[in-house]
């Protein structure tokens, strides 16, 4: 990327913040006090004024597992769309192509997240209004003396505690750096910001290259050591390589060419599986291609 050229990240990507919140299932408890209260006795086994502390589930954990799992899946889907490209902690970089247009194996990000948000809202409503009241009643029996009604928020509070939101921000360029500073300072800050943009863009592309290189190395290492390559490994490699041009906001021709080679030569457009790799000639062809592509990826990374 030329230093005189505007970084592609400015128009080719957006900043995406995914915020997921969950209902708090646990509460801190003072174990000493709880035991003492259970036996109608004073607490005498504190050490240094500190009592032993632990936590309790205020309702059975498994009653919330499906929502917790759904939230984890949402986070993973988000990571797949961003390629783990980071701007700052909690704020990710996403190609405008995949955000609005998706890819061969992925619907547009904005559509997927809108669908998941609607589904989560339904799950939260069902949990808060149906599961939670019954679970609270059951907790009275299960927790015994550890049950404290003050631990339990209202149904509406429970519902509102389960949420997801997506915030989209543009990536400004150095000339957008407007503030009440003297012109020289402002110029220096603008220049430093432009340099940061270029570094973030470079590191983002290196992240994509490294991920593809590591996945290819896993395949060659498995072939060299005689390990079984699972269908899920090959399928994940195929989908990642096929989606990579959409994730890459720079439209890098070299990276696209190498990703296409993975699709064609290593995964055979997703047709290769662990059974086809039982053929010695097929394994050898895949190993040679994967090794060559990995070497080319590593060499290309050195030029960035």
């Amino acid at each position: 990327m030329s230093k005189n050229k505007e970084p592609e990240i400015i128009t080719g990507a957006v900043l995406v913040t995914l915020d997921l919140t969950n209902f708090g299932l646990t509460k801190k408890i003072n174990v000493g006090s709880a035991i003492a209260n259970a036996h109608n006795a004073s607490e005498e086994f504190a050490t240094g004024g500190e009592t032993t502390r632990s936590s309790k589930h205020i309702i059975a954990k498994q009653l919330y597992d499906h929502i917790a799992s759904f939230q984890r899946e949402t986070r993973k889907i988000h990571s797949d769309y961003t390629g783990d490209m980071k701007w700052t902690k909690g704020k990710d970089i996403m190609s405008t192509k995949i955000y609005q247009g998706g890819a061969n194996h992925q619907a547009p990000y904005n559509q997927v997240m809108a669908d998941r948000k609607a589904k989560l809202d339904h799950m939260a409503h069902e949990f808060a209004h149906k599961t939670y009241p019954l679970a609270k009643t059951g907790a009275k029996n299960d927790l015994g003396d550890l049950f404290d009604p003050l631990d339990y928020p209202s149904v509406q509070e429970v519902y509102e505690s389960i949420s997801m939101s997506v915030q989209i921000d543009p990536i400004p360029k150095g000339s957008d750096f407007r503030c009440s500073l003297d012109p020289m300072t402002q110029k220096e800050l603008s220049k430093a910001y432009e340099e940061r943009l270029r570094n973030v863009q470079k590191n983002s592309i290196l992240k994509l290259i490294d991920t593809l290189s590591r996945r290819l190395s896993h395949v060659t290492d498995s072939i060299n050591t005689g390990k079984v390559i699972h269908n899920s490994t090959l399928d994940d490699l195929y989908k990642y390589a096929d989606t990579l041009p959409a994730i890459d906001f720079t439209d890098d021709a070299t990276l696209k060419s190498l990703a296409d080679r993975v699709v064609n030569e290593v995964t055979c457009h997703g047709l290769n599986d662990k059974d086809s790799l039982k053929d010695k000639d097929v394994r050898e062809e895949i190993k040679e291609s994967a090794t060559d592509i990995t070497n080319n990826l590593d060499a290309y990374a050195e030029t960035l």
Side-chain angles (χ1 to χ4, degrees):
M1 180 182 67
S2 169
K3 287 203 170 184
N4 296 320
K5 181 183 176 184
E6 183 176 270
E8 291 89 341
I9 192 173
I10 294 172
T11 55
V14 290
L15 301 179
V16 185
T17 304
L18 173 65
D19 185 38
L20 303 172
T21 63
N22 282 292
F23 171 60
L25 288 174
T26 61
K27 293 287 184 180
K28 295 291 185 182
I29 58 172
N30 183 320
V31 177
S33 296
I35 295 174
N37 290 339
H39 293 278
N40 295 315
S42 61
E43 183 184 352
E44 297 178 347
F45 45 88
T47 303
E50 294 286 335
T51 55
T52 305
R53 295 196 175 276
S54 186
S55 61
K56 64 180 178 182
H57 283 95
I58 61 172
I59 64 170
K61 176 178 175 293
Q62 62 268 25
L63 297 177
Y64 191 78
D65 279 349
H66 64 298
I67 297 180
S69 176
F70 185 84
Q71 296 283 63
R72 288 192 297 270
E73 184 183 22
T74 298
R75 178 66 64 186
K76 181 182 182 304
I77 290 171
H78 173 81
S79 295
D80 289 342
Y81 275 87
T82 64
D84 284 328
M85 296 184 292
K86 301 291 183 183
W87 179 258
T88 56
K89 185 177 180 181
K91 194 179 287 286
D92 302 305
I93 301 167
M94 184 179 296
S95 158
T96 54
K97 296 192 297 282
I98 205 164
Y99 173 78
Q100 195 167 0
N104 288 343
H105 307 283
Q106 293 171 287
Y109 176 86
N110 55 347
Q111 175 187 320
V112 170
M113 288 300 156
D115 291 345
R116 292 191 71 81
K117 184 175 183 178
K119 185 173 181 180
L120 178 66
D121 184 72
H122 175 73
M123 294 170 72
H125 188 276
E126 291 289 297
F127 175 80
H129 290 270
K130 295 181 180 180
T131 303
Y132 175 68
L134 294 175
K136 181 179 176 181
T137 300
K140 279 187 178 181
N141 297 323
D142 296 338
L143 292 175
D145 291 324
L146 292 179
F147 180 83
D148 183 352
L150 297 179
D151 289 336
Y152 296 84
S154 69
V155 166
Q156 185 62 25
E157 289 172 321
V158 171
Y159 169 67
E160 292 175 354
S161 71
I162 306 166
S163 69
M164 68 169 280
S165 64
V166 177
Q167 178 178 317
I168 306 297
D169 293 303
I171 300 176
K173 54 185 177 181
S175 59
D176 295 327
F177 202 103
R178 303 185 186 94
C179 48
S180 300
L181 296 170
D182 66 83
M184 182 60 69
T185 301
Q186 186 167 332
K187 184 177 180 180
E188 290 174 355
L189 290 173
S190 177
K191 183 179 178 181
Y193 177 77
E194 286 285 349
E195 186 60 30
R196 179 192 175 197
L197 274 183
R198 296 178 192 282
N199 287 331
V200 169
Q201 176 162 308
K202 175 183 174 180
N203 290 333
S204 296
I205 302 309
L206 287 174
K207 175 71 175 178
L208 300 181
I209 291 173
D210 179 65
T211 300
L212 185 57
S213 180
R214 284 188 290 105
R215 293 190 180 199
L216 286 168
S217 294
H218 176 67
V219 170
T220 54
D221 290 344
S222 296
I223 292 175
N224 286 332
T225 56
K227 293 181 180 178
V228 174
I229 302 176
H230 297 288
N231 289 339
S232 58
T233 299
L234 293 168
D235 188 54
D236 287 346
L237 174 60
Y238 165 58
K239 288 180 179 177
Y240 182 78
D242 200 36
T243 305
L244 194 57
I247 299 175
D248 172 26
F249 53 79
T250 67
D251 291 323
D252 190 292
T254 301
L255 186 53
K256 182 180 186 305
S257 175
L258 292 170
D260 287 344
R261 284 189 61 192
V262 175
V263 171
N264 296 327
E265 300 173 24
V266 179
T267 70
C268 193
H269 292 274
L271 296 177
N272 278 336
D273 57 22
K274 67 178 182 180
D275 289 330
S276 61
L277 263 65
K278 291 177 182 178
D279 186 294
K280 182 179 178 181
D281 292 335
V282 172
R283 283 202 313 275
E284 193 61 30
E285 288 177 9
I286 288 175
K287 185 178 79 169
E288 288 181 5
S289 288
T291 300
D292 184 63
I293 296 169
T294 301
N295 291 338
N296 276 275
L297 283 168
D298 295 342
Y300 183 55
E302 294 293 325
T303 69
L304 296 176

